[in-house]
Amino acid sequence: MGSTRFSGILVSCLLVIIGLSEAQLQLGFYAKNCPNAEKIVKDYVGEHIHNAPSLAAALLRLHFHDCFVRGCDASVLLNSTSSNQAEKDAPPNLSLRGFDFIDRIKSRLEAQCPGIVSCADVVALVARDSIVATGGPTWKVPTGRRDGMIARGAEAIANLPPSTSNFSNLQSLFANVGLDWKDLVLLSGAHTIGISHCSSFSNRLYNFTGVGDQDPDLKTEYAAKLKAKCKTPTDTTTFVEMDPGSVRTFDLSYYTHLLKRRGLFQSDAALKTSPTAYNYINQLLKGPLQNFFYEFGKSMEKMGRANVKTGSAGEIRKQCSVVNS
Ligand code: HEM
Ligand SMILES: *[C@@H]1O[C@H](CO)[C@@H](O)[C@H](O)[C@H]1NC(C)=O
Ligand SMILES: *[C@@H]1O[C@H](CO)[C@@H](O)[C@H](O)[C@H]1NC(C)=O
Ligand SMILES: *[C@@H]1O[C@H](CO)[C@@H](O)[C@H](O)[C@H]1NC(C)=O
Ligand SMILES: *[C@@H]1O[C@H](CO)[C@@H](O)[C@H](O)[C@H]1NC(C)=O
């Protein structure tokens, strides 16, 4: 009796283990069914990113936005429908770009291996390959993500950190996707490349507490420079470099600026308010750059696993902007 029960438990344990291993991402997931998949992505990026290097930042951000809402399931790529406002069309989308780039890669993949490679994996691979092609860090991208069928604007609002976040807001939104304070510090380092619209920070320049004031934590000279570009509190079209002076270089200068009260967003400045994060930033700044690259890469790999759909969950979309009919 006892042994029957024991083997029963053993069998259930094995089933759980098999179930778990089935549900994992793996390196080279497409090796059998579409051996060229990763090469097709990488070649496309290699051929085209240099025509628009600023797109690398946009593609990295797309992956972040995807993973934070319903997991990395390409829900960020879905179009709105007459009855549903998608993530794409919710306020946190400000300046999300790169959708056409993803679509063109997906077409190449569909031409070689129809219905095999998920849009979610394309987003993850493209983010990595674009950053590598423009001189940034690399990381492992295990594959096997499946595409989600739902995208809700309200969930983008609820799950993506606003630029006005304080440290505890940031920590809890990162914790929702399995990321800790260290991942937060490292991944915020992505703001070493790319641009921001004035509207994402103009409250700090013109009306910080609602009395027409400026954020005292923003260095005066820097605030003045930003005001010269963002001339009115309601400007929604002008944009600025997030890491002035090295906007295209993936380096440590984001952190240098941060400690000198030249972080662009309140969420950037908020990293200094945690003593642990502050110490870690100082440690990163001691270098070498390779250390930041290595740690950033580890956090990216971790982000890329956020609530992924695997096995038979979801689907493999034919077109990234719509669910299969
Ligand atoms: C920590 C919380 C974060 C907040 C509050 C935040 C907020 C923002 C905002 C407001 C913008 C500017 C959008 C615009 O006005 O055009 C931006 C840009 C950007 N963010 Fe973040 N972000 C965060 C974390 C991340 C993470 C984790 C990544 C990637 C790993 C990332 C990558 C980027 C990149 C690359 C850009 C530039 C996009 C471009 O040039 O088009 N951000 N972020
Ligand atoms: C999704 O929306 C974009 C922009 O509105 C549009 O260009 C594209 O054709 C749409 N995709 C599909 C499959 O309808
Ligand atoms: C962002 O959302 C607005 C509506 O809030 C929409 O008009 C705009 O096209 C969206 N941008 C992108 C890149 O999807
Ligand atoms: C952070 O912001 C939230 C509101 O968004 C507020 O409830 C909380 O008290 C703030 N935390 C700190 C430490 O300021
Ligand atoms: C500043 O914010 C307050 C409160 O939201 C608002 O009443 C006021 O009109 C704003 N002032 C400016 C200059 O935008």
Side-chain angles (χ1 to χ4, degrees):
M1 275 229 335
S3 77
T4 316
R5 206 164 132 209
F6 176 72
S7 49
I9 291 172
L10 198 68
V11 168
S12 348
C13 284
L14 276 176
L15 285 176
V16 167
I17 290 167
I18 291 166
L20 280 178
S21 59
E22 233 174 37
Q24 301 263 316
L25 299 178
Q26 59 189 80
L27 287 170
F29 179 82
Y30 298 110
K32 269 208 193 108
N33 292 340
C34 185
N36 275 333
E38 296 197 19
K39 186 175 175 333
I40 292 171
V41 175
K42 194 173 164 208
D43 288 351
Y44 188 92
V45 170
E47 285 161 34
H48 294 96
I49 202 78
H50 297 288
N51 301 330
S54 77
L55 209 53
L59 292 164
L60 178 60
R61 182 166 179 242
L62 204 56
H63 185 31
F64 157 55
H65 276 226
D66 185 29
C67 294
F68 267 59
V69 189
R70 287 188 172 260
C72 316
D73 69 345
S75 52
V76 71
L77 304 180
L78 288 174
N79 280 357
S80 293
T81 62
S82 54
S83 59
N84 179 55
Q85 187 204 39
E87 291 164 34
K88 233 186 206 177
D89 293 320
N93 83 1
L94 208 53
S95 89
L96 275 187
R97 297 174 292 139
F99 296 104
D100 298 349
F101 198 85
I102 302 276
D103 286 344
R104 285 194 290 270
I105 295 175
K106 175 66 173 172
S107 311
R108 281 201 184 178
L109 289 164
E110 285 301 295
Q112 275 214 10
C113 327
I116 302 285
V117 184
S118 70
C119 296
D121 279 340
V122 174
V123 172
L125 290 165
V126 163
R128 192 264 319 269
D129 293 347
S130 316
I131 295 301
V132 170
T134 51
T138 190
W139 58 91
K140 292 198 187 85
V141 181
T143 41
R145 293 169 190 78
R146 310 243 323 157
D147 297 326
M149 331 241 299
I150 298 168
R152 299 221 188 290
E155 292 177 350
I157 298 172
N159 294 302
L160 285 162
S163 62
T164 51
S165 303
N166 61 31
F167 193 79
S168 41
N169 301 151
L170 291 170
Q171 251 193 319
S172 64
L173 290 172
F174 272 64
N176 286 347
V177 289
L179 299 172
D180 61 22
W181 67 268
K182 203 170 162 184
D183 301 311
L184 166 62
V185 172
L186 289 160
L187 295 177
S188 296
H191 291 169
T192 179
I193 53 169
I195 52 150
S196 166
H197 289 76
C198 295
S199 38
S200 297
F201 55 85
S202 56
N203 69 314
R204 301 185 80 191
L205 306 176
Y206 291 108
N207 208 358
F208 190 57
T209 64
V211 295
D213 54 338
Q214 194 168 297
D215 183 346
D217 192 43
L218 196 58
K219 193 161 196 145
T220 321
E221 298 93 304
Y222 183 47
K225 279 191 185 140
L226 290 171
K227 275 175 151 168
K229 292 199 174 113
C230 305
K231 295 199 173 65
T232 68
T234 49
D235 181 339
T236 53
T237 50
T238 309
F239 52 83
V240 306
E241 305 182 337
M242 291 198 293
D243 181 9
S246 75
V247 65
R248 294 219 170 143
T249 319
F250 215 107
D251 56 17
L252 288 163
S253 66
Y254 162 80
Y255 297 108
T256 311
H257 283 306
L258 206 62
L259 296 193
K260 294 184 172 160
R261 292 169 42 218
R262 291 194 302 243
L264 188 57
F265 306 134
Q266 281 160 264
S267 65
D268 296 319
L271 302 180
K272 287 184 303 172
T273 64
S274 150
T276 334
Y278 184 86
N279 285 339
Y280 188 55
I281 291 171
N282 273 299
Q283 197 183 315
L284 287 171
L285 279 170
K286 288 201 185 95
L289 180 62
Q290 268 332 111
N291 178 52
F292 168 52
F293 275 21
Y294 175 74
E295 296 295 335
F296 180 87
K298 277 204 303 188
S299 291
M300 282 303 301
E301 187 184 339
K302 202 165 154 189
M303 186 182 89
R305 295 181 187 278
N307 301 325
V308 288
K309 298 171 176 65
T310 53
S312 56
E315 63 177 10
I316 304 296
R317 259 177 242 155
K318 293 193 185 74
Q319 287 185 83
C320 292
S321 57
V322 286
V323 297
N324 295 342
S325 46

